[in-house]
Amino acid sequence: MKEKTTVWDMAENINTKEDVIAYLEAALEENDTALLFAVLGDIARSKGIAQIAKELNLARESLYRSLAHDGNPSFNTVVNVLDYLGYQLSIKQKAVA
């Protein structure tokens, strides 16, 4: 008997603002821009990427591509998506070991 598997999608598991913040903070700690873009893409998809693209006056497909793991969105796009979602970037001093 074959087992049936399904694809796990993080976007389906982002339910609260605490989920969003924890996910973004974890991605930022990795210092990996590709990961950060993919995480932002997951968050955007969880909130409705088509509506975000429409509000930001971007093509949906373009926003999908730019927020993919191999995407390369402009800083402006990142800031605008975060702003639309109700978040902003901030800077804190790195902990010294």
Side-chain angles (χ1 to χ4, degrees):
M1 184 173 184
K2 288 187 178 183
E3 289 186 36
K4 184 175 180 177
T5 60
T6 59
V7 177
W8 188 81
D9 185 359
M10 183 60 183
E12 296 173 1
N13 296 283
I14 302 169
N15 301 310
T16 67
K17 65 181 177 181
E18 290 81 11
D19 293 343
V20 172
I21 292 168
Y23 196 28
L24 282 170
E25 286 179 343
L28 287 166
E29 288 174 5
E30 294 298 319
N31 291 323
D32 180 344
T33 55
L35 176 61
L36 176 62
F37 300 153
V39 165
L40 190 55
D42 288 343
I43 295 166
R45 285 187 303 106
S46 79
K47 305 302 180 193
I49 202 163
Q51 182 62 32
I52 294 169
K54 181 179 177 183
E55 291 292 324
L56 298 180
N57 214 16
L58 300 169
R60 181 182 54 84
E61 298 82 9
S62 175
L63 189 56
Y64 267 115
R65 278 193 308 273
S66 67
L67 296 179
H69 195 274
D70 59 347
N72 191 20
S74 70
F75 185 71
N76 191 51
T77 297
V78 171
V79 170
N80 286 336
V81 169
L82 287 171
D83 182 60
Y84 176 83
L85 295 171
Y87 300 94
Q88 66 185 22
L89 292 175
S90 65
I91 303 297
K92 65 181 179 180
Q93 187 170 0
K94 188 172 155 179
V96 180

